[in-house]
Amino acid sequence: QVQLVESGGGLVQAGGSLRLSCAASGRTVSNFPMGWFRQAPGKEREFVANFFWAGGSTSYANSVKGRFTISRANYKNTLYLQMNSLKPEEPAVYYCAARAEPYSSGSYSGGHTPYEYDSWGQGTQITVSS
């Protein structure tokens, strides 16, 4: 089991920045990333970024490359998403995600889709004003 709690959401002006935090507890599957997803009104949950704790590798959606940075705290089990240059069309609820149950090789697609994860936080709302 893993528990995830997001924080850091809120209102930000277009072009501004926010840092989201995800506090994780419990045991996650080794060699599987933790990730950030977002879901806008009327849209499906969308991949934003993920982070492999073991090797430190990262992956980003094309829409956020160069603006968002995913990282983790070395001193505690916390995942961050630094969001810069936020756009007015990017309001959404942001979720952190992890996997607690073992997975088969056929079920893994790089940690870029929601169905690859089985543990989710409650989400934190991001509102971008123009």
Side-chain angles (χ1 to χ4, degrees), residues 2-8 20-25 28 32-39 45-51 53 70-71 77-81 93-99 111 113-114 117-126:
V2 60
Q3 294 80 45
L4 306 172
V5 180
E6 304 97 335
S7 62
L20 304 183
S21 299
C22 177
S25 61
T28 60
F32 195 90
M34 291 183 64
W36 286 99
F37 289 76
R38 65 185 181 187
Q39 189 166 19
R45 193 163 296 187
E46 175 190 21
F47 170 75
V48 176
N50 66 25
F51 184 95
W53 292 65
I70 190 170
S71 62
N77 198 25
T78 301
L79 187 71
Y80 298 107
L81 182 68
V93 177
Y94 283 71
Y95 301 89
C96 61
R99 188 172 181 94
T113 57
Y117 300 85
D118 59 13
S119 301
W120 297 87
Q122 296 300 308
T124 185
Q125 177 71 51
I126 302 298

Side-chain angles (χ1 to χ4, degrees), residues 9 16 33 49 53 56 65 102 108 121 123:
W53 292 65
K65 286 181 179 178
Y108 181 65

Side-chain angles (χ1 to χ4, degrees), residues 59-106:
S59 181
Y60 296 91
N62 290 332
S63 61
V64 305
K65 286 181 179 178
R67 298 188 296 118
F68 290 11
T69 303
I70 190 170
S71 62
R72 67 167 175 85
N74 292 326
Y75 54 91
K76 60 181 178 180
N77 198 25
T78 301
L79 187 71
Y80 298 107
L81 182 68
Q82 178 67 46
M83 305 184 295
N84 298 326
S85 301
L86 285 162
K87 300 177 180 180
E89 64 270 22
E90 291 181 323
V93 177
Y94 283 71
Y95 301 89
C96 61
R99 188 172 181 94
E101 297 295 327
Y103 63 94
S104 64
S105 60

